[in-house]
């Protein structure tokens, strides 16, 4: 085979490493210099929105633990890979927005030597072969696993020449770049939807404009949906004619989720099983690597979803409280699917109510208000009944909700158009073939070092 032309390499001979530092919780501040924890790792990058911070005046002693764009980082401690929010072994590449941040404990930073292209290193460690190897070395308690540097550095792999490393990294990186561009476009559209939600339902901008004799800046058919005065309520002033209610007036908890079985059994149907961590990936990129599980047909039938449903992550340090509206376009892309027992499903009366509920839940998760309805310390658990009964919100007339729904749905249609899923599937198909040498890149010399 072509791969026989590549020499075997041992990872430890081609990387330089630095373990993260064990920052004390007493050092953390609301603002300052960012510290990245393994809980900030996503599938391939870092979510900087949830970082801790230390005083900027104290950073000189931690410079050895700084991350730089392109660094490869592996989580060495975390939940077992079989868990829904698995962390141990998760491998990410540091994005530009995390440049200069410090790495906390339970992870190790890797940088390639002159013989190993760092982008190629990242893709090497994302292969199923390497991840399976790590799982086999993981040890620990029932809830937490760890992997050692000795095990990581002992990994053997076929080492292509640098020119082919760069070529492989460029092909896979181009696909990831296109996925990232689509994600940024989707983030912009999502931000527009969030801004509209805040303007209409939190700040009541159209009503305030009318009260002050200003043009609301909306097309007349939409502007006419909003009154020209306020009235007092338990929430303070709300638009005249609107009501005050709870989230529970929009939707009710439905049947709990099902984790299914890992192997086929008589009469079983395989389906995507959505976990809490998948909900945020779907919101961000329109794509998630939900596991395929096996279910009784009756279980799938009882848990069939439509566009009146909102899922919310019910447990896990990272996912808890993250919601997602299950629009028809998403359900079509997912195909047969069910939600796991790590999620809770809320069934609303209409799709427009589901969109409105999702917006409130997402805002509460982003602001941290959702944690007022979370129990547990080591393993947070959402008290959905408390959430639905305890959170009061303004309830606008149906035509206003319908207009907001009409604005949000095309955004979600674009998000779930399937392009990112197709690109990710192509990347994941090419990855093992290119890394192993089963598929070789012609004219690899066309990918010079300065372009890598």
């Amino acid at each position: 085979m072509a791969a026989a032309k590549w020499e075997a390499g041992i990872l430890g001979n081609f990387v330089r490493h630095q373990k993260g530092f064990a920052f004390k919780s007493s050092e953390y501040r609301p603002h300052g210099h960012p510290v990245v924890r393994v809980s900030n790792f996503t599938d391939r990058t870092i979510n900087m929105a949830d970082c801790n911070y230390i005083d900027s005046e104290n950073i000189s002693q931690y410079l050895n633990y700084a991350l730089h764009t392109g660094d490869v980082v592996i989580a060495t401690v975390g939940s077992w890979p079989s868990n829904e929010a698995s962390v141990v072994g998760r491998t990410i590449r540091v994005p530009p927005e995390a440049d200069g941040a410090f790495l906390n404990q339970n992870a190790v930073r890797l940088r390639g030597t002159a013989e190993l292209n760092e982008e190629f290193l990242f893709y090497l460690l994302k292969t199923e072969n390497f991840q399976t190897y790590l799982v086999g070395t993981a040890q620990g308690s029932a809830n937490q696993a760890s992997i050692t540097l000795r095990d990581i550095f002992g990994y053997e792999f076929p080492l292509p020449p640098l020119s082919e490393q760069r070529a492989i990294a460029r092909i896979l990186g181009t696909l990831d770049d296109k996925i990232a561009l689509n994600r940024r476009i989707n983030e912009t559209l999502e931000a527009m939807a969030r801004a509209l939600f805040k303007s209409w339902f939190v700040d009541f901008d159209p009503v305030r404009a009318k009260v002050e004799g200003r043009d609301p800046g909306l097309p007349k058919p939409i502007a006419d949906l909003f009154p020209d005065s306020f009235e007092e309520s338990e929430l303070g002033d709300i638009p005249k004619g609107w009501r005050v209610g709870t989230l529970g007036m929009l939707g009710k908890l439905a049947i709990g989720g099902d984790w299914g079985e890992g192997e086929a059994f008589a009469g079983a149907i395989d389906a995507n099983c959505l976990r809490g961590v998948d909900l945020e990936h779907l919101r961000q990129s329109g794509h998630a690597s939900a596991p395929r599980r096996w279910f009784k047909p009756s279980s799938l039938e009882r848990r069939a979803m439509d566009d009146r449903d909102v899922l919310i992550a019910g447990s896990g340090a990272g996912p808890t409280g993250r919601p997602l509206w299950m629009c028809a376009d998403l359900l079509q892309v997912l195909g047969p699917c069910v939600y796991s027992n790590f999620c809770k499903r809320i069934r609303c009366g209409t799709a427009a109510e589901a969109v409105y509920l999702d917006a409130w839940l997402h805002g509460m998760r982003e602001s941290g208000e959702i944690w007022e309805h979370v129990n547990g310390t080591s393993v947070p658990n959402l008290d959905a009944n408390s959430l639905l009964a305890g959170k009061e919100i303004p309830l606008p007339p149906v035509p206003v909700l319908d207009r907001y729904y009409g604005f949000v749905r095309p955004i979600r249609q674009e998000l779930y158009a399937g392009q990112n899923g197709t690109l990710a599937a192509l990347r994941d198909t090419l990855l093992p073939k290119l890394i192993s040498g089963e598929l070789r890149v012609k004219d690899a010399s066309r990918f010079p070092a300065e372009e890598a």
Side-chain angles (χ1 to χ4, degrees):
M1 291 180 61
K5 298 180 181 178
W6 292 351
E7 295 184 3
I10 297 177
L11 187 62
N13 295 334
F14 298 96
V15 295
R16 295 163 291 135
H17 77 280
Q18 175 62 60
K19 289 183 177 181
F21 182 76
F23 289 92
K24 297 179 180 179
S25 58
S26 60
E27 295 183 79
Y28 292 142
R29 303 290 184 265
H31 306 285
H33 195 89
V35 174
V36 171
R37 301 160 294 165
V38 295
S39 60
N40 301 127
F41 293 6
T42 65
D43 177 52
R44 311 181 80 79
T45 187
I46 297 172
N47 176 14
M48 296 298 291
D50 247 356
C51 284
N52 285 331
Y53 297 89
I54 60 172
D55 287 331
S56 298
E57 293 79 8
N58 300 330
I59 65 174
S60 59
Q61 59 187 308
Y62 302 122
L63 295 181
N64 287 340
Y65 307 97
L67 299 173
H68 296 305
T69 303
D71 284 346
V72 177
V73 183
I74 300 180
T76 56
V77 178
S79 56
W80 277 96
S82 59
N83 290 355
E84 71 97 11
S86 169
V87 172
V88 67
R90 186 172 295 178
T91 304
I92 59 94
R93 196 158 187 245
V94 176
E97 57 267 28
D99 190 271
F102 295 142
L103 182 64
N104 202 355
Q105 63 183 339
N106 299 336
V108 60
R109 183 193 71 203
L110 302 180
R111 291 174 179 165
T113 62
E115 296 84 8
L116 187 63
N117 175 272
E118 286 188 3
E119 191 172 6
F120 174 84
L121 169 63
F122 169 71
Y123 288 111
L124 170 68
L125 304 189
K126 293 298 287 186
T127 60
E128 185 176 356
N129 280 349
F130 178 73
Q131 291 295 315
T132 300
Y133 165 81
L134 282 188
V135 170
T137 68
Q139 299 180 6
S141 65
N143 295 321
Q144 191 173 70
S146 64
I147 50 179
T148 68
L149 294 183
R150 179 178 178 180
D151 287 330
I152 294 173
F153 296 155
Y155 181 67
E156 295 187 25
F157 64 99
L159 178 66
L162 267 174
S163 60
E164 287 197 69
Q165 292 179 36
R166 291 193 290 265
I168 291 168
R170 172 58 61 86
I171 290 170
L172 298 172
T174 297
L175 292 171
D176 270 336
D177 288 345
K178 176 59 176 172
I179 292 171
L181 175 61
N182 289 343
R183 183 180 294 119
R184 287 194 294 272
I185 293 172
N186 291 329
E187 287 172 353
T188 299
L189 294 173
E190 181 73 14
M192 292 171 60
R194 290 295 308 158
L196 184 67
F197 172 81
K198 185 174 184 295
S199 175
W200 285 13
F201 305 115
V202 179
D203 297 332
F204 310 127
D205 288 335
V207 182
R208 295 191 187 283
K210 287 187 174 184
V211 169
E212 296 169 6
R214 295 183 287 108
D215 184 350
L218 298 170
K220 189 175 186 304
I222 298 179
D224 288 346
L225 297 175
F226 293 89
D228 57 6
S229 61
F230 290 97
E231 59 187 19
E232 294 182 357
S233 76
E234 306 93 297
L235 294 176
D237 288 345
I238 63 172
K240 186 176 181 179
W242 291 26
R243 298 179 297 136
V244 171
T246 63
L247 294 179
M249 295 176 69
L250 296 172
K252 307 296 182 185
L253 285 175
I255 186 174
D258 186 356
W259 184 229
E261 300 293 338
E263 297 181 359
F265 56 90
I269 298 175
D270 69 315
N272 287 307
C273 189
L274 297 178
R275 306 159 298 173
V277 68
D278 297 318
L279 304 186
E280 186 63 11
H281 292 164
L282 287 167
R283 181 184 289 276
Q284 290 179 349
S285 67
H287 172 72
S289 300
R292 300 286 292 187
R293 306 281 293 178
W294 294 88
F295 302 90
K296 295 179 180 179
S298 58
S299 178
L300 291 180
E301 184 177 350
R302 289 197 302 272
R303 293 170 177 83
M305 293 177 283
D306 61 36
D307 62 5
R308 295 171 295 167
D309 289 318
V310 174
L311 293 184
I312 185 167
S315 64
T320 296
R322 297 194 182 278
L324 187 68
W325 171 47
M326 303 305 295
C327 71
D329 307 278
L330 170 58
L331 291 170
Q332 183 175 359
V333 169
L334 290 173
C337 73
V338 70
Y339 48 100
S340 74
N341 53 324
F342 305 107
C343 296
K344 299 179 185 294
R345 171 178 151 214
I346 305 170
R347 168 60 61 89
C348 299
T350 65
E353 290 178 337
V355 168
Y356 191 55
L357 174 63
D358 174 72
W360 275 107
L361 293 175
H362 182 59
M364 293 177 69
R365 181 55 167 78
E366 292 298 293
S367 70
E369 185 182 355
I370 200 81
W371 296 103
E372 297 175 10
H373 305 278
V374 172
N375 302 316
T377 52
S378 58
V379 181
N381 289 287
L382 178 70
D383 185 345
N385 288 312
S386 165
L387 174 65
L388 293 177
K391 175 61 177 178
E392 291 188 324
I393 58 171
L395 296 175
V398 170
V400 179
L401 283 183
D402 287 342
R403 281 290 185 173
Y404 180 67
Y405 167 80
F407 182 85
V408 172
R409 185 173 180 202
I411 292 176
R412 297 299 174 86
Q413 285 177 315
E414 179 66 24
L415 176 63
Y416 303 126
Q419 187 180 59
N420 272 8
T422 301
L423 292 171
L426 176 60
R427 176 200 64 205
D428 294 343
T429 299
L430 291 175
L431 175 60
K433 297 180 183 298
L434 289 169
I435 294 292
S436 68
E438 178 184 344
L439 183 64
R440 299 291 290 268
V441 181
K442 292 183 179 180
D443 300 322
S445 60
R446 294 189 300 108
F447 298 85
E450 60 268 21
E451 294 185 6

